[in-house]
Amino acid sequence: MFDVIVVGGGPTGLMLAGELRLHGVHALVLDRMAEPNRHSRALGLHARSVEVLDQRGLLEKFLALGRQYEVGGFFAGLGTSWPDRLDTAHSYVLGIPQVTTERLLTEHAVELGTEIRRGCELVGLSQDEHGVTAELADGTALRSRYLVGCDGGRSTVRKLLGVGFPGEPARVETLLAEVELTVSPETLAATVAEVRRTQKRFGTMPLGDGTYRLIVPADGLAEDRTVPPTLEELKRQLRKLAGTDFGAHSPRWLSRFGDATRLAERYRTGRVLLAGDAAHIHPPTGGQGLNLGIQDAFNLGWKLAAEVNGWAPEGLLDSYHTERHPVAADVLDNTRAQTELLATGPGPRAVRRLMSELMEFEEVNRYLIEKISAIAVRYDFGEGHELLGRRLRDVRLKRGHLYGQMHGGRGLLLDRTGLLSVAGWADRVDHIVDVSEELDVPAVLLRPDGHVAWAGEDQQELLGRLPEWFGAPTG
C-alpha cells in the first residue's frame, strides 16, 4: 500500500509529491500522459511561488533557466510600473516556461524518492475507513491511505467523488498558438499596438528562433475545446482583427481556452483531496493559475504528511480547505474583474480608463500586484500579532537568511532572545537562535509553509500554540 497516490503529474502534483517525500511519505504520482507535456501554457512564476521555491532550496536552479522581470501590466494589462516596497525579498516575476518548471519539479521529486508512472489513466476510485482504491484503465487496482486529485480542470477525481463545481461557463474563447512569422518585427509591433487600442485580448510574444506566441480572440465558442484550432482558423482570426495573418506558418502548437470560472464545493472528501485546477478554474488573466496550484500543494503537503505520520492535531488536514478555498475564491473574483476590464464595450472601456488613473497611485498599484502575486495572503489564525497568519518574507539573519533554514520542510522557531524552547517538538520544529534587523518581534514560530503561527516572547504562549499546529509533544 502506498501512503499517498497523487493523480496528475503537472506542477501541482509534482510539488505535492516533493513536499510529501521531505517527510518520508511513500508517494506515487500517476499521469495519464505517456510523456511529459512539451508545450507551455504558463510562462511565469509570481513572487509567492518564487518564495516557495526558495524555502525548499530550489530557487537557484529556476533562476538559472528563467528571467526576472519588474514590469507592470499584470492586472488586466493596467499599470506601467513595478511597485516599490513590496513585502518580499523577491520583488519580480520570474519568466520561465511551464515545461521547464515541470522538469525541475520532476527532478526534485524523483531525487527525493517519488515514483512516477506515466500512461496510467484513473477510471474509478472507492474509499473506506482504512484507505483508497484507485482503478486504472488497464485493469490495475492500487491501494493507498490517501489520494489527491491534481488532474486539472476536467478532473476525473473530482467527477468520481461527485464534488460540485459551481460557477460560470465560458462566454468567450481565445486561441493560443506558437508559430513562425514572416512579417518584420517592426511591422508586427506596430500592428499589434494598433489592434490593442481596442482589443486587449490580442497579443504576441517572441520565443526566439523566429517563433512567436500568439493570443487571439476566437470567433465564438467551440463545441469541444479539447479539439485544437487549425492554422487556417488562427490565420482567419488574425486577418479579421489585424488585417493580416503576419505570414504565420509552421505551427509548433495550437490550442484554445475559455473564460469559465468554477470552484469546487469542498477540497476534501474523506481520504481524497483536490488541489490545483482540479479544485478551481478561471481565466489566465494575471498568470495566476499555475502559481495557485503550486501554493495549494505547499499548504497541503506538510499537513497530509503529518496525518500519514500520525502526529497531526485534530482538524489540521481540514484546515487545508479552510485556508485555501477562500484564497481561490479571491483569485476567481479578481480574474472576473480583469475579464470585465478587457471587454470592448463602452462601459468596460470607461471603467478601464478610470482604473488606469487609479493605478497611477502607488498604493493602488502595490495593492493589486500583491494580490496577483499572492504575497498578501493571510490565513485566519484568530487574534494576535499583526504578523499572525501571514507568510514571513525571507529576512536576513546574522548567519545567512531565513529561507535557507527551511529546506527540510519542518516548522521553525526563529528566536532572537535565546530564552525559548521547543523541547518535545524537536522532531518537528527547528529552533534557530539568531538576530535579524528586519524583524521587530522577539520570536516567531513558522509553520512548514512559512506562515506565522505565533509571534511574541512568552514561553507559555508558545507552548499553547505548538500543539495547535504540531500535535502533542513527544517524551
Side-chain angles (χ1 to χ4, degrees), residues 1-5 26-28 115 117 142-146:
M1 176 185 283
F2 296 94
D3 288 329
V4 179
I5 291 176
H26 189 192
L28 169 68
E115 181 180 353
R117 298 184 189 176
L142 301 174
R143 186 78 171 158
S144 64
R145 296 173 65 183
Y146 290 89

Side-chain angles (χ1 to χ4, degrees), residues 24 123 130 136 217 223 248 381 405-406 447:
V123 296
H130 301 294
L136 305 185
E223 291 185 9
F381 293 174
Q405 309 294 329
M406 304 187 72
R447 305 190 316 182

Side-chain angles (χ1 to χ4, degrees), residues 72-94:
F74 281 94
F75 190 86
L78 298 170
T80 58
S81 62
W82 188 255
D84 295 328
R85 304 188 310 278
L86 286 182
D87 183 31
T88 178
H90 301 286
S91 184
Y92 54 84
V93 175
L94 181 63

Side-chain angles (χ1 to χ4, degrees), residues 50-103:
V50 172
E51 289 182 343
V52 164
L53 297 173
D54 198 9
Q55 285 177 244
R56 293 300 180 261
L58 301 174
L59 183 56
E60 291 304 316
K61 292 181 179 180
F62 281 78
L63 291 178
L65 297 175
R67 184 175 178 182
Q68 298 178 36
Y69 295 95
E70 294 183 3
V71 295
F74 281 94
F75 190 86
L78 298 170
T80 58
S81 62
W82 188 255
D84 295 328
R85 304 188 310 278
L86 286 182
D87 183 31
T88 178
H90 301 286
S91 184
Y92 54 84
V93 175
L94 181 63
I96 188 167
Q98 181 175 336
V99 291
T100 305
T101 294
E102 291 187 9
R103 177 172 63 82

Side-chain angles (χ1 to χ4, degrees), residues 2 11-12 25 31 70 77 136 138 150 155 168 180 196 217 232 234 273 323 369 392 403 416 420 434:
F2 296 94
T12 302
V25 173
D31 196 275
E70 294 183 3
L136 305 185
D138 64 1
C150 303
S155 172
E168 303 88 48
E180 294 182 30
R196 283 185 57 82
E232 182 52 40
L234 173 71
L273 301 102
E323 293 175 1
I369 293 301
L392 189 61
Y403 288 0
R416 299 174 64 195
L420 300 173
D434 206 332

Side-chain angles (χ1 to χ4, degrees), residues 268 270 273 303 307 313-323:
R268 181 187 180 190
L273 301 102
K303 297 174 180 178
E307 194 72 31
E314 183 178 357
L316 181 66
L317 190 53
D318 286 331
S319 73
Y320 165 62
H321 169 93
T322 303
E323 293 175 1

